[in-house]
Amino acid sequence: MDANAQPDGEALHRLVARAAEQQPDAPAVIDETGTTSYGELDRMADRFAAAFTARGVRAGDRVVLWAAKSAHVVAAMQGALRIGALYVPVAPSNPVARLLRIARSCAPALVVTDDRGRGLAASAPWPDEGEGAVPAPVTAAVLLAEGALLPAPPAHRNAPDDPAYILYTSGSTGEPKGVCISHRNALAFVRWAARSTALTPADRLANHAPFNFDLSVYDLYGAFLAGASVRLVPADLAYAPDRLVDLVRDEGITVWYSVPSIILLMMREGGWLAKPPTLRVCVYAGEPFPVQQAKELRAAWPGVRMFNWYGPTETNVCTAYEVTDADLDRTGPLPIGTACSGDTVLLEGVDEEGTGEIVVSGPTVMLGYWGRSPHEGPYRTGDLGRYDAHGEIDYAGRRDHMVKVRGHRIELGEIEAALGSLDSIAEAVVVVRGTGLEARLHAVVVGRDGRRPSLLDVKRHCAQRLPAYMVVNSLDVIEEFPRTANGKTDRAALQALPHLV
């Protein structure tokens, strides 16, 4: 199957159905229980669609999926799409209280879980009656059994701009925000990504990200578009670098996609630099990759294509840059590249230093946040960028990481990028300690290969790259950064560490 081929209509659920028609015995999803073929996945999706319909789920309704990653959950996603419903993945690491906040936001017709989720729900007060009621969870196994006794409903004929799924992210008010993505939004990215990475049926992708994280969209739907297979990485392996590297080697993974923090962990503790024999593509996104480590990886893997993809959940991937041997001489950060996925990406409000806000328009821009007015016009990312000499966009940090220290406006991401180019530093985060005239820049770093950079080393390095007012004042070296559920550096937790207060 050709990843450049156009699926029938603008519908995510047509990808699996088409692959099942053309190659029913080919592997589709591999999880801890074994391999599910495209024909089996197609039949499971129909069983879920039948069970959902019998339980009253209709087009436009929401189905929450609160369960560990498995072929059954992937089939449930497909089953929801086949009847025109939206699926809402919620990682099983979310406690019942947060699940209920998400459920009250999207008002699902059904909550699907597994045995673990059923046990958690049973042990907590569950609001299944009255105001704020949420449907009691039902396990995927029960639904599959119900669907086996029912005829499959006809596939829903959706419009391209119909919503397909909702991904909940953290909200600045403390309440999760539901990013609503249409079939057109997702497919514009997936088609571009499959072409960019030249996916074929022979590929086996690794799905490291949880299903509620937008990185998983490429893993799943890129595989389905190409007729390739996807290996679901269970949560208990997500932060085990040696076991992750073993999985890639032992299971013939050809395409890896994750946040840089995970790749850095695999480089430091998993032997990732000894290239897995089948790996041909490595993609990272979600946060900056320290340039020294990126160059080290590039040099170690001459035959592997490496990509830096950028985009918030609200746009998925909207710019891309391929890391090549030409970058081995680079001293500054790697760029996030140029517009992709059919999008237009501009810098607005550019200041005297050439820095402006990254603004995205085009087919990948979300429908809006669930429960709010539809999004209209370009999406303002809140991220800052500037053009380099080659017309590529350099990421310059977040607007909300912009601080003022002793009267100077400072973007912390720029200091972090400078620190990341020091060969004794694997990762770096800069925070502000104190307020007013007492405000100081404090760096928290993880040493590379067990090294512990000194404050003098760090100051000297910063002084060579930054104005004097951006040179850090103090330093902490720690063993490992705290991580969010998506594997990114948890800045809030880092700021709350006792020695930083």
Side-chain angles (χ1 to χ4, degrees), residues 253-268:
I253 299 301
T254 63
V255 181
W256 178 269
Y257 184 28
S258 74
V259 296
S261 295
I262 297 302
I263 296 175
L264 291 168
L265 192 64
M266 294 162 76
M267 289 171 66
R268 288 200 305 270

Side-chain angles (χ1 to χ4, degrees), residues 3 23 42 61 87 94 148 150-151 164 170 187 230 237 250 266 284 299 306 328 360 400 423 428 435 440 453:
Q23 46 181 38
D42 184 56
D61 285 346
Y87 67 84
N94 281 265
L150 300 167
S170 296
L187 283 168
V230 56
L237 264 65
D250 295 346
M266 294 162 76
Y284 62 88
M306 287 174 55
L328 293 176
V360 185
D400 52 14
D423 62 6
T435 59
R440 296 291 185 271

Side-chain angles (χ1 to χ4, degrees), residues 279-302:
L279 192 72
R280 66 174 192 83
V281 174
C282 179
V283 186
Y284 62 88
E287 59 187 353
F289 199 135
V291 66
Q292 292 296 336
Q293 284 68 47
K295 288 163 59 177
E296 184 179 9
L297 192 61
R298 173 69 284 160
W301 291 356

